[in-house]
């Protein structure tokens, strides 16, 4: 599996993405996040990309039902990954088009990303 939830602590859902993200893995991840939203209400999301190789071309990546239905329950998103993935990741997550802030951090800034998520 290329994407998995590794923790849910204090309303922060931490997701680890490795290798190449596949559409089926994204759908499974979204189902898990919906379950957490159902339990907690509002959440913050920390995405940690390790050894990322992008995402597969197969799948309906343009489907926006998850965003439409669940964005009101996401307060912030921090993405941690290599510099070369910053622009593609921010485009992929639709930074600037969603109603919550999304910020990108380098791997050595993981603690800073966590602190940013905890700011009001």
């Amino acid at each position: 599996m290329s994407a998995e939830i590794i923790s849910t602590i204090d309303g922060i859902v931490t997701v680890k993405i490795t290798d190449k993200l596949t559409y089926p893995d994204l759908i499974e991840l979204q189902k898990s996040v919906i379950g957490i939203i159902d339990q907690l209400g509002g959440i913050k999301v920390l995405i940690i990309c390790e050894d990322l190789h992008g995402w597969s071309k197969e799948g309906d990546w343009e489907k926006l039902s998850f965003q439409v239905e669940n964005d009101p329950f996401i307060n912030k998103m921090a993405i941690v990954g290599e510099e070369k993935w910053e622009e593609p990741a921010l485009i992929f997550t639709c930074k600037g088009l969603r109603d919550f802030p999304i910020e990108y951090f380098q791997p050595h800034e993981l603690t800073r990303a966590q602190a940013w998520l905890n700011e009001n």
Side-chain angles (χ1 to χ4, degrees):
M1 178 175 257
S2 60
E4 65 179 323
I5 295 173
I6 58 173
S7 73
T8 304
I9 301 172
D10 297 329
I12 297 176
V13 177
T14 302
V15 175
K16 186 175 183 180
I17 299 176
T18 57
D19 198 28
K20 185 175 278 196
L21 180 62
T22 67
Y23 186 72
D25 285 349
L26 175 66
I27 296 303
E28 287 303 310
L29 175 65
Q30 288 175 340
K31 288 179 186 175
S32 297
V33 170
I34 289 168
I36 294 167
I37 288 172
D38 288 345
Q39 291 176 355
L40 301 179
I43 63 169
K44 298 174 184 175
V45 180
L46 173 61
I47 300 172
I48 300 172
C49 302
E50 288 185 0
D51 196 29
L52 185 64
H53 293 106
W55 38 90
S56 66
K57 295 185 187 314
E58 298 80 26
D60 188 8
W61 292 99
E62 296 168 3
K63 185 176 176 183
L64 297 176
S65 61
F66 176 84
Q67 289 179 3
V68 170
E69 296 169 10
N70 297 286
D71 275 9
F73 305 102
I74 300 174
N75 300 314
K76 283 184 170 182
M77 180 184 293
I79 306 166
V80 177
E82 296 175 39
E83 184 177 355
K84 70 180 180 178
W85 291 110
E86 182 172 359
E87 184 176 346
L90 294 175
I91 291 169
F92 183 81
T93 56
C94 300
K95 180 181 178 172
L97 300 175
R98 298 174 91 171
D99 290 334
F100 58 87
I102 301 172
E103 292 299 330
Y104 196 91
F105 300 86
Q106 304 299 309
H108 68 276
E109 299 177 303
L110 176 59
T111 302
R112 189 169 153 239
Q114 293 165 322
W116 178 79
L117 283 171
N118 284 311
E119 293 173 357
N120 288 333

